[in-house]
Amino acid sequence: MTARTPYIGRFAPSPTGPLHFGSLVAAMASYLDAKAHHGQWLLRIEDVDGARNVDGAAEHILASIQRCGMHWDGDVSWQTQRYPLYQQALEQLGGLVYPCGCSRREIADSQVNLAGHHTQALVYPGICRDGLAPGKVERALRLKVPQSPHCVLSFEDRWAGRYSQDLTADVGDFIIRRADGYWAYQLAVVVDDGAQGITDIVRGADLLDSTPRQLYLQQVLGLPQPTYLHVPVVVNEAGDKMSKQTGAQAFDTGADPQVLLREAMLPAARFLGLDIQAETIDAFWRAATPAWAQLLQTLPRRP
């Protein structure tokens, strides 16, 4: 029997505003999973998208996490301090990367022409794959996805079970550096997870369909594949994912710890399927960690 790789997990919020209830659910799940496996829990601020960052949001996020009694290991990492790593990965990808001059509208129009109707997902049809057309200028950088045979990627999610995606048909060549010059999420998150030795990723199910792109990047960059667990996302009354874009409010209003526990932490635990009885935040974590370990027994096990 081989020894299990020491667990290293992470929580990686974007500083586009304070954490809302859905963010708390994801943070709590990732923290509990790390503690249940006696592992490390790293904190990474994903501030690579400078256009959406909000002044003071990162500090509010760090304070809220601490007020909830979650303690990260090591120093907080910041994506804006890691640009040389992304550039190194870009150079490693070499000929798999090509410039694209297409706007989102052009891609959508090409799909209408090919299919006769709008498809739900915007799949890149490879317009610039063999070079920029006359008159086009570089906007973004894309990564080539194998065309024949199709690139079909599958993995076992510890919550959702087996998930498969035909990356060729469902996504196409995808962006790794955006038209505004910012590094794309897919590249940055894969490079960061590899550099930090992340073994287990626990996050919201809204990122489930991003995972095959990340698996592909891990393969072509020669990085190990973490284990994944995607928890259900919190939705609002309209059925939309709770997010800053849909008006989700901060879960941490600065109220005293007992109010924070009663109005945010206990409801987040219940959303995850944990029935916790606790009067203090310290007591909450003492009860929640074994409760999470017990919940894991009903899910696919970590390899």
Side-chain angles (χ1 to χ4, degrees), residues 206-220:
D206 54 311
L207 292 169
L208 188 61
D209 68 351
S210 289
T211 307
R213 276 169 278 178
Q214 294 164 27
L215 299 182
Y216 178 61
L217 271 165
Q218 289 157 8
Q219 290 177 9
V220 295

Side-chain angles (χ1 to χ4, degrees), residues 176-204:
I176 57 172
R177 195 174 69 195
R178 297 172 6 184
D180 55 16
Y182 293 125
W183 295 100
Y185 165 76
Q186 307 296 349
L187 179 73
V189 72
V190 166
V191 171
D192 288 339
D193 288 338
Q196 294 185 289
I198 302 300
T199 63
D200 291 75
I201 294 173
V202 177
R203 59 190 183 186

Side-chain angles (χ1 to χ4, degrees), residues 114-248:
L114 289 172
H117 57 83
H118 285 283
T119 55
Q120 185 173 5
L122 201 58
V123 180
Y124 185 67
I127 298 168
C128 299
R129 194 174 228 260
D130 297 320
L132 293 172
K136 276 190 177 292
V137 296
E138 176 182 326
R139 291 170 53 86
L141 294 179
R142 290 186 181 271
L143 182 67
K144 290 181 179 178
V145 173
Q147 301 297 299
S148 182
H150 279 204
C151 180
V152 179
L153 293 170
S154 304
F155 69 99
E156 291 292 334
D157 187 84
R158 293 171 50 216
W159 189 292
R162 189 162 187 80
Y163 184 85
S164 296
Q165 184 182 81
D166 185 334
L167 203 60
T168 308
D170 297 339
V171 176
D173 301 342
F174 57 92
I175 290 174
I176 57 172
R177 195 174 69 195
R178 297 172 6 184
D180 55 16
Y182 293 125
W183 295 100
Y185 165 76
Q186 307 296 349
L187 179 73
V189 72
V190 166
V191 171
D192 288 339
D193 288 338
Q196 294 185 289
I198 302 300
T199 63
D200 291 75
I201 294 173
V202 177
R203 59 190 183 186
D206 54 311
L207 292 169
L208 188 61
D209 68 351
S210 289
T211 307
R213 276 169 278 178
Q214 294 164 27
L215 299 182
Y216 178 61
L217 271 165
Q218 289 157 8
Q219 290 177 9
V220 295
L221 289 171
L223 297 173
Q225 177 182 323
T227 296
Y228 291 90
L229 187 157
H230 290 84
V231 296
V233 296
V234 181
V235 298
N236 59 23
E237 293 180 356
D240 299 320
K241 174 202 165 189
M242 184 176 287
S243 68
K244 302 176 187 78
Q245 289 74 29
T246 57

